[in-house]
Amino acid sequence: MDVGGTLYALRTQRGLSQRELARRCGVANGTISLIESNAINPSVGLLRQIVHALPMNLSEFFAFEHLEERKLFYRASELREIGGKGISYRQIGTNLNGRALQMLDEVYAPRTDTGKTMLHHTGEEGGVVISGEIEVTVADQRAILGPGDAYYFDSNLPHRFRNISKEPCHIVSAATPPSF
């Protein structure tokens, strides 16, 4: 279960800021932020304390369905960071359960890549390079793409992304079904 995403959805649904929720349940507002970003997993006791401030009980919290996920528009601050190790993947939406498409705003730091092991998963993916350059390898084919260039391939094929330049590379991509 996405505890952070559920807490975020419930808090924003009720019109509460992180600071206000933290005040209501007696924790530091940084704690709420860390839980919502899934940087920490709260103990059952801490989660109960926070959930009671919403107010609701734990069983209601765990049964909650992300109705807010059907929203139509997202501010830049609402994109969810799911990347790491020099690659930023900012996902549109917090929980993609029941969704057919995953959209990402990606930034590859200079000299970063998706790993030595080629990726492969069910579905298709495509993207457009906004700025910088990226080396994309799909099976036995490789291309260096720049601003305005794009890719689109069957994700079952082994693939890898590498920023081989000294500048960040920005890509907007889509995958179906959501892959992570």
Side-chain angles (χ1 to χ4, degrees), residues 73-130:
F73 306 103
Y74 296 85
R75 299 289 177 197
S77 62
E78 296 176 310
L79 301 184
R80 180 162 220 182
E81 179 60 57
I82 59 173
K85 297 183 181 177
I87 303 174
S88 171
Y89 296 121
R90 293 181 341 125
Q91 175 179 278
I92 299 172
T94 57
N95 182 341
L96 300 182
N97 289 337
R99 295 285 191 153
L101 179 70
Q102 179 180 39
M103 294 282 307
L104 297 173
D105 179 27
E106 306 178 25
V107 177
Y108 291 76
R111 310 281 186 218
T112 58
D113 61 48
T114 54
K116 292 182 183 194
T117 304
M118 301 276 271
L119 305 170
H120 62 89
H121 47 88
T122 302
E124 296 180 318
E125 60 188 272
V128 176
V129 177
I130 305 302

Side-chain angles (χ1 to χ4, degrees), residues 101-172:
L101 179 70
Q102 179 180 39
M103 294 282 307
L104 297 173
D105 179 27
E106 306 178 25
V107 177
Y108 291 76
R111 310 281 186 218
T112 58
D113 61 48
T114 54
K116 292 182 183 194
T117 304
M118 301 276 271
L119 305 170
H120 62 89
H121 47 88
T122 302
E124 296 180 318
E125 60 188 272
V128 176
V129 177
I130 305 302
S131 63
E133 290 185 328
I134 193 86
E135 178 189 81
V136 182
T137 303
V138 180
D140 61 351
Q141 296 185 49
R142 181 177 309 175
I144 296 175
L145 305 176
D149 294 339
Y151 60 89
Y152 182 46
F153 58 85
D154 181 334
S155 302
N156 287 311
L157 296 171
H159 56 280
R160 178 180 188 214
F161 295 83
R162 279 192 334 146
N163 181 349
I164 57 175
S165 76
K166 296 178 183 175
E167 301 296 324
C169 178
H170 182 195
I171 299 171
V172 174

